[in-house]
Amino acid sequence: MAKVIVVTSGKGGVGKTTSTAALGAALAQRGEKTVVVDFDVGLRNLDLVMGAERRVVYDLINVVQGDAKLSQALIRDKRLETLHLLPASQTRDKDNLTAEGVEKVIDELRKSFDWIICDSPAGIERGATLAMRHADIAVVVTNPEVSSVRDSDRIIGLLDAKTKKAEDGERIEKHLLLTRYDPNRAEHGDMLKVDDVLEILSIPLLGIIPESMDVLRASNLGAPVTLNDTNCAPALAYRDAARRLAGEQVAMTIPGERRGFINKLFGRRAA
Amino acid sequence: MSLFSFLNRRNTAPMARERLQVLLAHERATVGHSDLVGLLREEILAVIAKHVQIDGEKVNVTMERGENVSTLEVDIEIPVTASVRAA
C-alpha cells in the first residue's frame, strides 16, 4: 500500500529539499515506485536539486486546477525509471493550492506509487499545512541548532493537530532526521549532540546526516546526493534512513563515532 | 586575546540545550490555549485603567520565564494628582 511522507521542518534552509531528493532516490533505488512532490509554490527548487529544471512543462497547480492530467505533469527521472517528480508552480499564486485539489492529487498518486514524498515549504502557513495534511509519516528535518530545534517542536505540534490522521484520532508516525551534523563540534561541546536533540524533541531518530561538501556538490550537479556519489558519507546515511522508512532494522551509526586513533591523528576529515 | 584564553572558553552546547528546554516547556504549554501570563498582563492593566488614568509611557511590564515559575512584574507610575474614576 502506498505511503505518503511529508518532509518538513518549520525553519528554512535546514535541508528539506535535499532530504526529499535523497530519500526519494534511495527508495526508488530499491525498485519501489517513488514520486517526489514539491509543495513550495512560487519558490520551487526540488526540480533544480533533481536536475529536471529544464523539463518542467506542467506543475502541481495545473493538475489541481484541471489544466493538465497528472500523467502529463509527472517527470520521470533520467537516471532511475522508478523515480518521478511532480514540480510546484513557479509563477502561480500559492492560494491556488486548495485542500480539495491536493487531496484529489494525493489520492490519484496513491494508486500508482509505493512512496509519495511531499517536500514542504518552510513556515507554518497554508503550503506547509497542506503538504502535511495527508501524510502517513512525517520526517522532521532538524539541524543541531537552537532555532531549528524550536521550529521543529512547533511543527511536531502541528503534525499532531492539523493532519488528516490526527483529526481522525490516529497517530501520525513522526521521525527525526538530523542534518548537517558535525561530530567534531558536538564532541567539543560546541554543537548540540544527537542525544540532546532527541531528548528535547522526543520523537524517534530516522538518521543522522553528517555535514559534508558532497551535499553541495550533488546539488551543483542537479543530482540527489544518493545518486551522485553512492558511497559518500551523506549518501550512506540517507540510504540507511530510507531503509528504516521501509521498515528494515538498520543499526544507527553516528558519523565520526567510528573514527579510530589513526584518523584522529591525521586529520579533520570532514565526515 | 590572551594566549591562554582557549583554556577558559566554555562549551556552548550545554547552554543551548538548557535554553531550549526552558523555552519549549513554555511554548508547549501556551500553544493551543492562551498564554496565562499574557492574559494576566492584559487584564491587570485593564482593571487599573478602570480606576486611574494610566499614561502608557509610565507602565513597565516585565516577564521572566523560569523553568518552574514565571514572574510577571507590572510597574505603574500613578501620579498623586490622578483623579479617581468612579468604578
Side-chain angles (χ1 to χ4, degrees), chain B residues 36-56:
Chain B
L36 175 66
V37 182
L39 188 75
L40 288 176
R41 184 191 61 206
E42 296 306 316
E43 292 204 352
I44 289 171
L45 287 179
V47 165
I48 292 168
K50 228 164 78 180
H51 297 283
V52 225
Q53 176 105 43
I54 314 176
D55 178 353

Side-chain angles (χ1 to χ4, degrees), chain A residues 145-146 149-150 153-154 188-192 195-196 199-201, chain B residues 9-14 16-17 19-21 23-24 27-28 31:
Chain A
E145 180 268 323
V146 287
V149 176
R150 179 200 211 172
D153 190 75
R154 187 76 201 281
H188 288 115
D190 288 326
M191 183 182 265
L192 288 166
D195 286 342
D196 293 335
E199 191 194 325
I200 292 166
L201 294 178
Chain B
R9 209 189 70 167
R10 305 263 312 272
N11 287 339
T12 53
R17 184 190 141 101
R19 289 175 57 219
L20 272 169
Q21 280 170 333
L23 173 71
L24 293 181
E27 287 191 345
R28 284 170 188 158
V31 168

